[in-house]
Amino acid sequence: MIRDGAGVRLVHVLWLTSGLGCDGDSVAMTSATSPSIEELIRGVVPGAPALALYNQLLAYESGEEFLRPFWRAIDGRLKPFILVLEGSVPNEELSGEGHWSGLGVDPGTGQPIDVCTWIERLAPQAAAVLALGTCAAYGGIPAMRGNPTGAMGLRDYLGWNWKSHTGLPIVNLPGCPVQPDNITETLLQLSLHVAGIQERIELDEQGRPRWCFTRTVQEGCGRAGFAEHGVFARTPADSHGCLVKIGCKGPVVKCNVPVRGWTGGLGGCPNVGGICIACTMPGFPDKFMPFMQASPLGVMAAQASRFTYGPVLRRLRARAIRRHFDVEPDWRRPGKELRTGYQPRW
């Protein structure tokens, strides 16, 4: 542990990308801008410690050289550190004589080390544990009905009441992949907590950071006003209308992508005409399939707004705009006298 008069100056981040996943979150993080991963590693964020990142996808090192920090962490010689899991946790009791996923070789036995063993060895030593991506948080696509691996989220594996030795519950940061700035901001907040600079981050009932998952997609969507007026797109190519009738799950999904964008405030599924497929939700993907088919609740809400208050509201607003707001003030119109209320002083 490196400290100075202000406290911890370096926080290690041990990143297991060996879960059942696609490394999409690691790739997404490289496009973060607020803050960027470079800013976190270089320690240029005012008041925050620098991060030492050990990520298999991004590392120059390989083999035993890459695994050295992981062994040091198990032995208690790498503190403080944040453990990040990317990808879901398999049930190795179902793997027979093999294993579903692993990283490295145990020098004592010469056998591969499965991801569950790494979690069991590293989690008790970690100051904070982050389940990154929907796969790590809830099981995600590898945990779909009928999968052979018994895949699950990290909280399902360690227990929903599990806490690190600092008293911090597992932090779930879902997304497929996670919005890039959500990743770096959460790492920043966790490092500030681990360094003793700020209180622990506030989580919702699903273990998600509240600042990311308070509003629904529709609350931040640029097309939300169409739904209020009862105007709905019929095909994905329609640029005019809410997308809920062609499968968008925005009204029931908690996600900040419409507000935050994807890279540099730009992009993101609904911002570029794509439907929300609910990839940040615990029931993804089983509860939200087929993606391109509207849910019964969405259809009912769409029909209600289309045939009840939608047309009435649209007509009243159009009338108000036409009569009161889409015209110039009276005093600007040509006439024989001033109508601004101006009284000359001479």
Side-chain angles (χ1 to χ4, degrees), residues 74-273:
I74 291 174
D75 294 337
R77 295 183 288 117
L78 192 77
K79 292 185 177 181
F81 75 89
I82 300 169
L83 175 62
V84 178
L85 174 67
E86 181 177 351
S88 56
V89 184
N91 184 349
E92 293 295 352
E93 294 181 359
L94 303 176
S95 62
E97 297 180 359
H99 62 281
W100 295 120
S101 65
L103 174 66
V105 175
D106 190 321
T109 63
Q111 296 298 313
I113 306 174
D114 60 64
V115 68
C116 296
T117 300
W118 282 114
I119 293 171
E120 293 166 4
R121 292 177 178 179
L122 290 169
Q125 302 284 354
V129 176
L130 173 62
L132 185 64
T134 301
C135 292
Y138 307 121
I141 290 175
M144 291 178 66
R145 183 186 299 274
N147 82 87
T149 64
M152 67 195 86
L154 186 56
R155 278 195 172 192
D156 296 318
Y157 183 74
L158 290 179
W160 276 72
N161 295 322
W162 188 94
K163 293 183 179 180
S164 69
H165 67 79
T166 62
L168 186 67
I170 296 171
V171 178
N172 285 333
L173 191 60
C176 192
V178 182
Q179 198 276 348
D181 291 339
N182 285 353
I183 301 175
T184 52
E185 185 177 355
T186 301
L187 287 174
L188 174 62
Q189 298 290 339
L190 288 175
S191 67
L192 289 170
H193 172 68
V194 168
I197 299 172
Q198 70 174 27
E199 298 295 325
R200 74 183 192 185
I201 62 178
E202 187 178 0
L203 306 176
D204 67 10
E205 64 278 1
Q206 287 292 333
R208 301 171 294 203
R210 285 193 181 275
W211 76 79
C212 296
F213 298 96
T214 299
R215 293 193 291 186
T216 65
V217 167
Q218 190 176 47
E219 287 177 284
C221 179
R223 296 189 183 220
F226 289 124
E228 190 179 47
H229 281 182
V231 179
F232 298 93
R234 296 183 179 181
T235 70
D238 291 344
S239 60
H240 192 80
C242 174
L243 300 173
V244 70
K245 293 187 74 172
I246 57 174
C248 183
K249 310 303 189 294
V252 296
V253 173
K254 293 182 178 181
C255 180
N256 67 344
V257 165
V259 176
R260 195 161 202 177
W262 194 258
T263 301
L266 302 175
C269 310
N271 297 337
V272 296

Side-chain angles (χ1 to χ4, degrees), residues 281-328:
M281 301 299 283
F284 177 81
D286 296 79
K287 286 189 175 181
F288 301 96
M289 296 176 69
F291 295 138
M292 297 298 292
Q293 179 177 315
S295 66
L297 181 62
V299 172
M300 184 173 64
Q303 296 293 355
S305 63
R306 182 180 178 185
F307 293 111
T308 55
Y309 72 89
V312 175
L313 183 63
R314 186 166 65 251
R315 181 179 293 273
L316 290 176
R317 281 185 175 171
R319 182 179 179 183
I321 292 171
R322 184 175 62 255
R323 290 191 174 187
H324 303 291
F325 302 109
D326 207 16
V327 296
E328 290 190 8

